[in-house]
Amino acid sequence: MKPIGNITTLVACASACLFLSACDADKSMTGPIAGVAQFDKFSYQGNDRFYNTYSLPTASSFYNPILPGWYSDPSVCTNGKGDYFLATSTFAYFPGVPLFHSRDLVNWKQIGHVLSRESQLNNMQSQHVSGGIFAPALAYNPKNETYYMITTNVGAGNFFVKTKDPWAEWSDPVYLDDVKGIDPSFFFDEDGKAYIVNNDEPTYEAEYPGHRSIRIQEFDVEKETTVGPRPALVDKGCRPAEKPIWIEGPHMYKINGKYYLMAAEGGTGVNHSEVIFTSDSPMGPFTPWAKNPILTQRHLDPNRPDPVTCAGHADLIQAPEGDWWVVFLACRPLGGGFGYENLGRETFMMPVRWTEDGFPVVTSGDELVSMICERDGVQIEKGARFGNFGYVDDFDGDKLSVDWMTLRASGSDKYSVGNGVLKLKCDTARATQYCTPAMITRPIHHHVFISTVDMTFDPKSSEEAGMILFKDEGHHYYLTLGLSGKNKLVKLHKVCGAEDEVVASSEVPANTVNISLRISSDGEMFTFSYSLDGDKWEEVGRPLEARFLSTTNAGGFTGTTLGLYSIK
């Protein structure tokens, strides 16, 4: 990838304390601004071996994952008029729940977020990055032509929001105090009745860790309240004698007069799976399919090439042409033995086939999750977000593009964007804290990538600004321009738990205010570099292990995000 060139510098404004008003008032500035880092032309390019080795065989082929990088817990719905919508989890990030649209199930474009206002996200400031919003579930009710998203905020409870127009704002949350547990989803029946199914404690004392049940309760669409009892439809899982763990993420469907209940089992790690049950009534009793699971990779050789693991948490969808598909989460670990990954749980899609006894199947036996699939008649659009794609963000709009996220709240008092520049105010908040730091990130999408940004910044005292790779509060790397005494340095930080260590630094001329920063990855190591002319690059210290930021090492439910960070 060709390094991007020097940025256009901006004239100083009078005071950083007037950050938003003063900086936005004068867009012709051409020099550094006190206490503010200015960023231009953030670029990213993926270069994974698989996509370089295996080209798409036909014009209707597509790569899995369809949403590469951390897009976990996918849910999909359709309005029956050719529009499909897909949402994924965001945990403690803001805005919450990215919303994607497609007309063909293959070409997806993010159109915004379901939870776009802080008023929709209660009690986020006290939550770990893997807290917050779990497993959003989308549903469309044709009776009132309304879209619903129901989810769990682990710090506040289960709630739903709704809209008539998915491109517009969604409602304020309606909390459902009677619905305990996590992972709720709506089912709108043909007779106009509605139900909520979700994971919860069993109706009696749990027999072992991970013993859960799937409950159901009727929902009054007009009054927007739950009614009646909450019986358990499933206890433990599809084979109770084997003491299965963490049955969760349920969805209910009515297909050819039968009710199907689909759920994940086995936890979100390598034992993840998807199982299915059927009944003649939404209230049960539900009978598990004898050949469950319908999707898993848990029993396969961990040393197989290009492994896909952790497959589960699925949602079914039927196209008007009659073909059935499933979206689900899975991981792409690096190397055999289940290895590790920094990408988090990603969104995959595969075709569904139906058995003679009437059950949907995605994988059976030793079948692999396919990294290349095909949907007849679909043409891959320019700019598709799978394979080895890249992008450049010039910050030329009046707001951030939909890919960017902050932590726990908007942080709008800490940044502004416009005329090709993102301005980020140096702040005392740290990414190690349960707060909203001056940090703006987006998911990484590949094991192998290179990302570069141009920055104008003149640090004073303890101020630093630059690029960050963030997994969680206790696991991140960041590369900044800052000071040490009278010397101006490019510093490479490693945060491990509560310790923030400068592991390497490089002195630069004292008059340096324009600098380009770069983070590259070969999948195993991250390399951190800077350039003073956009041409010659200098590495800062030695490459650092990618494994440190992986879920295998750090735990949690998110993937690694990449972006911009400033402190003082």
Side-chain angles (χ1 to χ4, degrees):
M1 176 180 171
K2 183 179 178 181
I4 56 180
N6 292 331
I7 59 173
T8 301
T9 55
L10 306 172
V11 172
C13 71
S15 170
C17 68
L18 299 176
F19 172 65
L20 289 177
S21 58
C23 294
D24 290 342
D26 185 356
K27 296 297 186 181
S28 62
M29 297 176 291
T30 57
I33 302 170
V36 177
Q38 301 168 89
F39 299 95
D40 179 31
K41 291 185 180 177
F42 184 95
S43 68
Y44 174 96
Q45 179 61 54
N47 194 31
D48 279 354
R49 178 197 56 81
F50 181 90
Y51 304 123
N52 291 329
T53 304
Y54 301 100
S55 58
L56 293 175
T58 71
S60 298
S61 301
F62 62 91
Y63 287 116
N64 262 323
I66 55 169
L67 296 180
W70 167 51
Y71 295 101
S72 56
D73 308 321
S75 177
V76 66
C77 77
T78 180
N79 57 12
K81 303 173 184 176
D83 294 298
Y84 303 95
F85 299 92
L86 187 151
T88 63
S89 293
T90 42
F91 299 94
Y93 281 91
F94 181 91
V97 186
L99 185 65
F100 300 85
H101 173 257
S102 177
R103 294 285 295 179
D104 57 19
L105 285 173
V106 173
N107 295 286
W108 292 95
K109 180 180 180 181
Q110 188 173 347
I111 60 173
H113 290 81
V114 175
L115 305 177
S116 58
R117 305 184 304 279
E118 291 184 25
S119 62
Q120 297 168 309
L121 294 162
N122 295 336
N123 199 31
M124 296 293 285
Q125 291 296 334
S126 63
Q127 299 194 57
H128 182 271
V129 69
S130 285
I133 302 299
F134 278 25
L138 289 176
Y140 178 72
N141 185 357
K143 299 295 183 180
N144 60 3
E145 298 184 325
T146 300
Y147 300 84
Y148 292 80
M149 190 283 293
I150 187 169
T151 189
T152 303
N153 178 340
V154 297
N158 292 307
F159 70 91
F160 72 88
V161 293
K162 64 180 184 176
T163 187
K164 293 278 190 179
D165 180 3
W167 281 268
E169 292 283 305
W170 292 62
S171 71
D172 282 335
V174 177
Y175 278 87
L176 301 164
D177 295 336
D178 290 343
V179 181
K180 309 299 181 183
I182 62 171
D183 295 4
S185 67
F186 277 117
F187 169 62
F188 297 104
D189 206 346
E190 296 167 346
D191 60 5
K193 288 187 176 182
Y195 305 86
I196 295 172
V197 292
N198 77 298
N199 155 297
D200 202 351
E201 298 280 350
T203 55
Y204 55 97
E205 185 176 354
E207 295 180 4
Y208 54 89
H211 175 188
R212 291 295 185 272
S213 66
I214 299 299
R215 305 276 197 95
I216 189 168
Q217 190 168 20
E218 192 172 344
F219 176 76
D220 188 316
V221 174
E222 295 298 324
K223 296 180 180 179
E224 298 190 337
T225 60
T226 53
V227 295
R230 293 188 66 238
L233 299 179
V234 176
D235 182 31
K236 299 179 182 177
C238 70
R239 296 182 180 92
E242 298 177 7
K243 296 184 177 181
I245 60 172
W246 305 122
I247 189 159
E248 59 191 3
H251 294 284
M252 187 175 284
Y253 315 90
K254 188 174 185 181
I255 304 169
N256 296 329
K258 286 280 189 179
Y259 293 90
Y260 291 82
L261 178 66
M262 191 170 73
E265 260 190 31
T268 59
V270 295
N271 292 317
H272 208 195
S273 66
E274 195 74 11
V275 296
I276 200 158
F277 309 77
T278 189
S279 175
D280 293 324
S281 165
M283 303 301 289
F286 277 85
T287 303
W289 186 42
K291 296 181 181 180
N292 271 320
I294 64 171
L295 166 67
T296 193
Q297 302 284 272
R298 65 190 177 196
H299 58 293
L300 302 178
D301 182 359
N303 293 304
R304 65 191 183 276
D306 301 310
V308 174
T309 64
C310 309
H313 200 108
D315 199 2
L316 291 171
I317 192 77
Q318 185 182 26
E321 295 82 2
D323 49 328
W324 284 87
W325 294 83
V326 63
V327 295
F328 59 97
L329 69 79
C331 295
R332 291 181 290 154
L334 191 69
F338 290 142
Y340 65 92
E341 45 70 32
N342 294 92
L343 303 175
R345 299 172 298 160
E346 308 174 276
T347 291
F348 287 68
M349 188 176 80
M350 283 183 63
V352 173
R353 62 183 184 271
W354 288 84
T355 64
E356 291 183 0
D357 55 347
F359 286 88
V361 173
V362 186
T363 64
S364 64
D366 291 338
E367 291 177 338
L368 300 175
V369 168
S370 301
M371 288 282 287
I372 297 177
C373 293
E374 182 175 3
R375 183 161 190 246
D376 290 342
V378 172
Q379 297 295 311
I380 306 305
E381 297 174 359
K382 183 178 180 181
R385 283 297 183 94
F386 46 71
N388 280 331
F389 67 89
Y391 60 83
V392 174
D393 193 333
D394 291 315
F395 304 117
D396 52 2
D398 59 0
K399 59 183 179 180
L400 289 173
S401 69
V402 293
D403 303 277
W404 292 101
M405 304 175 293
T406 52
L407 273 176
R408 301 182 184 89
S410 69
S412 58
D413 59 329
K414 299 176 183 182
Y415 74 87
S416 68
V417 62
N419 286 3
V421 177
L422 168 68
K423 305 182 184 78
L424 192 61
K425 181 180 179 181
C426 294
D427 195 85
T428 56
R430 295 291 191 270
T432 55
Q433 301 169 320
Y434 288 14
C435 64
T436 301
M439 183 180 80
I440 300 170
T441 64
R442 54 200 295 167
I444 61 172
H445 309 281
H446 304 83
H447 292 294
V448 181
F449 68 85
I450 185 169
S451 181
T452 309
V453 73
D454 291 347
M455 180 175 71
T456 295
F457 182 51
D458 191 13
K460 306 297 181 185
S461 185
S462 60
E463 296 170 352
E464 296 184 41
M467 300 182 77
I468 188 169
L469 283 166
F470 181 83
K471 167 60 175 171
D472 63 22
E473 294 85 354
H475 301 83
H476 46 277
Y477 298 133
Y478 61 104
L479 179 70
T480 61
L481 180 63
L483 296 176
S484 179
K486 295 183 180 180
N487 298 321
K488 193 170 285 188
L489 303 176
V490 178
K491 303 179 183 181
L492 176 56
H493 293 253
K494 176 182 179 179
V495 171
C496 182
E499 182 180 0
D500 186 334
E501 178 187 5
V502 178
V503 296
S505 63
S506 297
E507 186 172 351
V508 295
N511 64 350
T512 298
V513 294
N514 297 326
I515 190 169
S516 298
L517 302 175
R518 183 172 73 185
I519 297 176
S520 59
S521 172
D522 65 3
E524 296 184 3
M525 308 294 287
F526 293 120
T527 300
F528 302 82
S529 311
Y530 73 93
S531 175
L532 300 180
D533 61 5
D535 184 28
K536 181 181 179 182
W537 291 89
E538 301 287 345
E539 291 187 13
V540 183
R542 294 179 296 179
L544 300 179
E545 287 187 331
R547 185 183 182 92
F548 174 70
L549 301 184
S550 70
T551 301
T552 300
N553 178 66
F557 301 131
T558 66
T560 299
T561 61
L562 165 72
L564 309 171
Y565 182 43
S566 62
I567 57 176
K568 68 177 180 180

